[in-house]
Amino acid sequence: VSSRSSPQVLHVTGTKGKGSTTCMAEVIARRKLGRKTGMFTSPHLVSPRERIRINGLPVSEAKFAAAYWHVYDTLESSELGHPKYFRFLTLLALYIFDAHRFLDGSK
């Protein structure tokens, strides 16, 4: 874990409207409050990359692939084993958010 300040997190739960609520909150944070955002949602429609968004855009194929193999190899060399699909994607999203550099150099 890095020494930088902790990110502000909004965790949306419930049975109906999580995706819409999350998207609306992300847009407000980004457009109205000027925040840099990372969003992880489920499920995806076409590609798992849709689940992981940085500043409103899906993570690139190259970044997704590099992060996927980094997380996969890290788990492979540990005693933890591989988690189920959703938990793996959650770990992947958290890794991508932690590793992401914004255009101004901040994390």
Side-chain angles (χ1 to χ4, degrees), residues 39-61:
M39 184 172 71
F40 175 62
T41 59
S42 179
H44 61 273
L45 297 176
V46 178
S47 165
R49 291 186 314 110
E50 297 168 22
R51 295 177 181 223
I52 305 169
R53 301 176 79 80
I54 296 176
N55 289 329
L57 300 173
V59 68
S60 71
E61 288 183 25

Side-chain angles (χ1 to χ4, degrees), residues 7-87:
Q8 294 179 338
V9 176
L10 173 65
H11 183 192
V12 179
T13 66
T15 57
K16 301 281 184 198
K18 294 180 296 295
S20 299
T21 300
T22 302
C23 287
M24 200 170 3
E26 190 271 339
V27 168
I28 290 169
R30 193 166 32 86
R31 292 185 184 169
K32 299 293 183 189
L33 302 176
R35 301 289 174 92
K36 298 166 186 165
T37 61
M39 184 172 71
F40 175 62
T41 59
S42 179
H44 61 273
L45 297 176
V46 178
S47 165
R49 291 186 314 110
E50 297 168 22
R51 295 177 181 223
I52 305 169
R53 301 176 79 80
I54 296 176
N55 289 329
L57 300 173
V59 68
S60 71
E61 288 183 25
K63 187 175 283 194
F64 184 90
Y68 177 94
W69 288 111
H70 175 80
V71 172
Y72 182 92
D73 291 342
T74 300
L75 290 169
E76 187 75 18
S77 65
S78 76
E79 295 178 11
L80 298 173
H82 288 277
K84 303 267 186 206
Y85 183 68
F86 179 78
R87 289 183 180 177

